[in-house]
Every structure is written in structure tokens, then in C-alpha cells.
Amino acid sequence: MWVLVRRWWGPLPAGGGAGRRPSPGWRALAWLGGSPGGEDGRGPRVREKPPWRVLFFGTDHFARETLRALHAASENKEEELIEKLEVVTVPSPSPKGLPVKQYAVQSQLPVYEWPDVGSGEYDVGVVASFGRLMSEALILKFPYGILNVHPSCLPRWRGPAPIIHTVLHGDTVTGVTVMQIRPKRFDVGPILKQETVPVPPKSTAKELEAMLSRLGANMLISVLKNLPESLNNGRQQPTEGVTRAPKVSVGTSCIKWEEQTSEEIFRLYRAIGDKIPLQTLWMDNAIKLLDLVEVNSSVLADPKLTGQAVIPGSITYHKQSQILLVCCKDGWIGVRSVMLKKTLTATDFYNGYLHSWHQKNAQAHPSQCRFQTLRLPAKKKQKKEFVAMQQCIK
């Protein structure tokens, strides 16, 4: 049994009824007649059911988990879900390549580097954290289109960095959406499957990525098992609740002590700390804060903190817990280690820098020795722009 898959992005074809809404997606129609190559002009014939021929597009660890699930399915000869699996990734300065390429090479899967997508025939494309715009011509090479595994509950957090923004904004619920790619537009296609999960308290973006990558991989396999039905039952995204998850730049890592609360600073640390260390300015030197910790109530009860007026950015060394205490908009954060020329523990920083400064400047006000907001030049920001790679196709 074969089906004819008809594709259109705009209004229904002539005869579809005046005033009707645009097609929500792809329509799979049973095709029992016609010539083998579509010579009657009705379009190419494609498979109605598995096994599918899949071309996968991906780059990072989130995408690697999706590829791993596809590969496992292709190796399962009893289920016969995937007949052919090939991979497209992007060039990397690392000789080993990105995680998806490493997995593909280890698994002896054919790999292409974008914009090369090979010349084979496929039934469906799958995208996860690819970061490249898909043209209409490319999408139309796949009879069932291209699916995207996106780590958020669309339309919330459309864009290249959904996991980072989920953590950064303190969301308590997140999820994964398997959607259909639309050409020249980002994350707006029909939703084929969506599941929500609670965000574990104080989880980092890296931890959340690992959890969502497993969920997304399982959801994709479920969609592929009933692909024509999933496509026909796709629903349009709501017009309400749209939020954006733009790229994160190095400038985002610069702490604004006067403006950000301790909660906001810890969210920032959990969102990007493993990729970009948080930064500040001390004595005209950029300094990176490597290991942030919450300050417990017993430390905050110290008379040194309660008995004097302090301003945001002020630094105090707490000997008992061996951490630097830094004042922010509404309280204090703890810092266990920093990088100033080299990595230093809080104790090393105090002994080598803070203590000696206070000895030499005994008459100076302590605020002169505080952390201040680092202002990066615009060009430097652009040059060092960081693109989170556990995000969706854009």
C-alpha cells in the first residue's frame, strides 16, 4: 500500500472552499492507482507505514540523544521502524567534531556536513538543535516533511536557547514539543506531540537538557510509529503565550550587582555557568566567578554583615565557611572560587588580594574594594557571542 502525500503551506487548493483557513499541514491520501513514478502528475508515491528512511540534522548533546534513539530503532529488526538513517551536522573547529558527528562516526552512520545533505531518497527529516534555516526546497525533498524536537512547550520559548531561558526565568514547568518545520519561519509549525514536566528545583540547564533530551527522543519514536496519523492530527500553535529564547551572549554573564537579586544571579549561574562563567570587575580587572553557593542563615547572622551598611558589590571573606560573600540588590551570594589570571579559591583570593589591599588602604572606605559591573565593548560582545546548542532549529 502506498499513499500520495500532498503538501502546501498556504491556502487550500482551488475547490477547497472560499474563505476556508489555510491547511494545517500535510495530507496523506490513499493512492491505489497511478503509475509508479507519479507520471500521471499526481505527485511522488511514498510509504504509508514504516520502515522509514530518515535523514537526521543535529549538533549537540541534546541532539545526540535523539540520534541515539533513532539509531537504536534502526538496529531493532523486529520492530522495523527505520530502514535507513543518515546524518547531517555542521562543521566544527574541533578535529573530533560535535557530539552528533562523534556518535555518527562511532556508529558507522553516513555523515554529511552542512550544506551538503547527500543525494539519497528519504521519507522524513528529523531536526534537533541544528541551528540552521531550512529552505522550502529542502523541506519538500521529504514526502513527510521535517520534524523538529524542541525542548520547550511551544509557543513558549521559540528560538535557539529555550532551555537556558527556562532556567533563567525560573519556570516551574517545561516540556518537549515535536513539531513540523515550516520554511523561512522559526518554531511556528504544527504541534504533533507535546508533553510537560516539572522543572526540578535548582536544576541547571545542563541537568535539564539531559532530562528533556531523553523525553524528546522517546516522543519522537512514538510519533514515527504513527507518522501519517500524527501529521494529520497536528494542531496549530496558540497565538497567545508566545515568548522568545534568543541567543545568549557573553555580555549576559556580567553581573549587575545593583540591579539583580540573589535569586536572579543564581538563576543566571544555573542557566549559563557551565558554558560561560559569570563575570565582574574588580580593581579594573575582569574576574570570573567560578563556583557560586547559597549563603545559609547562620552565616548571614554574622555581626560583620548585620552591623554595618553595605552597598551592592561589597566583598567580605567568611573564614569559617571559606567563601567570599558578595552583596547584591537584596542580600548576599557566596563564591568559592574565582579566576583572576589563574583559578583561586576564596581563601587564596582573600590572602593574595583582599587582605593586602585592606592593609595598604586602611583609611579607605571598604566600598572602594567592591565588585562592580563589567561593561564589555560592543564589538567584543558581538565577537564572543555564545550560541546555546541545546535548542531548536531556527
Side-chain angles (χ1 to χ4, degrees):
M1 175 71 72
W2 296 79
V3 294
L4 168 65
V5 176
R6 291 183 177 174
R7 305 161 288 209
W8 56 84
W9 312 116
L12 290 166
R20 293 185 63 178
R21 298 180 63 184
S23 164
W26 299 62
R27 291 292 181 263
L29 308 174
W31 183 14
L32 302 179
S35 57
E39 296 172 1
D40 57 2
R42 297 172 69 183
R45 296 189 302 175
V46 298
R47 301 179 181 189
E48 181 186 13
K49 60 183 181 180
W52 309 118
R53 296 163 295 179
V54 178
L55 184 61
F56 176 76
F57 301 79
T59 55
D60 63 6
H61 291 90
F62 179 87
R64 184 180 64 183
E65 185 65 20
T66 303
L67 177 58
R68 185 203 61 76
L70 290 170
H71 183 228
S74 70
E75 295 286 292
N76 187 342
K77 303 306 180 185
E78 294 182 2
E79 192 170 23
E80 294 187 341
L81 180 63
I82 297 175
E83 177 182 289
K84 180 171 77 170
L85 177 62
E86 298 185 355
V87 178
V88 178
T89 188
V90 298
S92 168
S94 169
K96 293 183 179 180
L98 297 169
V100 160
K101 182 176 181 180
Q102 293 176 27
Y103 182 91
V105 171
Q106 292 169 2
S107 304
Q108 298 183 328
L109 297 172
V111 185
Y112 307 99
E113 283 200 349
W114 182 267
D116 181 10
V117 296
S119 57
E121 292 186 356
Y122 311 94
D123 301 302
V124 63
V126 173
V127 164
S129 298
F130 190 59
R132 295 294 186 274
L133 180 66
M134 297 288 180
S135 68
E136 181 173 359
L138 175 59
I139 296 173
L140 293 180
K141 288 181 181 291
F142 301 88
Y144 286 103
I146 301 178
L147 312 182
N148 180 24
V149 183
H150 183 92
S152 83
C153 291
L154 291 171
R156 186 163 179 79
W157 302 133
R158 288 177 178 171
I163 296 177
I164 284 178
H165 284 273
T166 295
V167 176
L168 191 59
H169 289 80
D171 288 7
T172 58
V173 176
T174 186
V176 175
T177 304
V178 178
M179 56 163 286
Q180 199 174 25
I181 293 290
R182 286 289 180 259
K184 302 178 182 179
R185 300 187 68 190
F186 303 157
D187 304 327
V188 297
I191 295 172
L192 308 185
K193 190 175 182 65
Q194 187 174 83
E195 293 186 15
T196 60
V197 292
V199 177
K202 301 180 182 179
S203 61
T204 66
K206 185 176 182 179
E207 293 165 344
L208 193 58
E209 177 190 58
M211 182 180 77
L212 295 181
S213 68
R214 293 188 292 269
L215 174 62
N218 292 334
M219 290 170 59
L220 174 67
I221 296 300
S222 175
V223 168
L224 290 175
K225 288 179 179 179
N226 301 282
L227 184 55
E229 180 183 358
S230 296
L231 292 170
N232 284 336
N233 293 333
R235 58 184 174 87
Q236 296 299 309
Q237 294 185 29
T239 56
E240 302 81 18
V242 176
T243 57
R244 308 291 178 182
K247 300 174 183 178
V248 176
S249 70
V250 173
T252 307
S253 69
C254 299
I255 299 176
K256 301 176 179 64
W257 301 105
E258 296 85 359
E259 302 174 18
Q260 293 176 304
T261 65
S262 57
E263 175 61 25
E264 289 170 337
I265 293 172
F266 280 118
R267 286 180 189 169
L268 180 63
Y269 175 65
R270 292 193 292 266
I272 68 171
D274 67 313
K275 302 285 186 182
I276 314 175
L278 303 195
Q279 300 184 86
T280 190
L281 188 68
W282 185 75
M283 297 296 170
D284 297 324
N285 293 300
I287 183 170
K288 296 178 180 179
L289 310 182
L290 303 181
D291 187 7
L292 272 60
V293 294
E294 294 186 5
V295 184
N296 62 48
S297 56
S298 62
V299 173
L300 294 176
D302 192 311
K304 291 182 180 180
L305 303 182
T306 59
Q308 59 179 330
V310 292
I311 61 175
S314 298
I315 315 165
T316 298
Y317 176 67
H318 193 262
K319 187 175 181 180
Q320 288 77 11
S321 52
Q322 297 184 329
I323 60 174
L324 298 174
L325 301 176
V326 189
C327 180
C328 54
K329 181 181 179 180
D330 71 338
W332 298 82
I333 65 166
V335 181
R336 290 196 185 280
S337 61
V338 303
M339 180 175 287
L340 180 61
K341 300 180 182 178
K342 63 178 182 179
T343 301
L344 302 168
T345 65
T347 302
D348 293 336
F349 181 71
Y350 172 74
N351 291 333
Y353 293 93
L354 287 183
H355 184 61
S356 60
W357 186 90
H358 285 292
Q359 284 185 322
K360 294 176 182 177
N361 301 275
Q363 303 303 317
H365 193 278
S367 64
Q368 296 180 24
C369 189
R370 73 185 189 279
F371 286 156
Q372 300 182 57
T373 300
L374 176 63
R375 311 287 181 184
L376 294 178
K379 288 184 179 180
K380 188 174 182 181
K381 280 186 183 180
Q382 295 170 3
K383 186 175 181 181
K384 290 190 174 182
E385 188 172 40
F386 166 74
V387 181
M389 296 301 292
Q390 64 258 51
Q391 44 293 333
C392 63
I393 181 69
K394 50 167 237 171

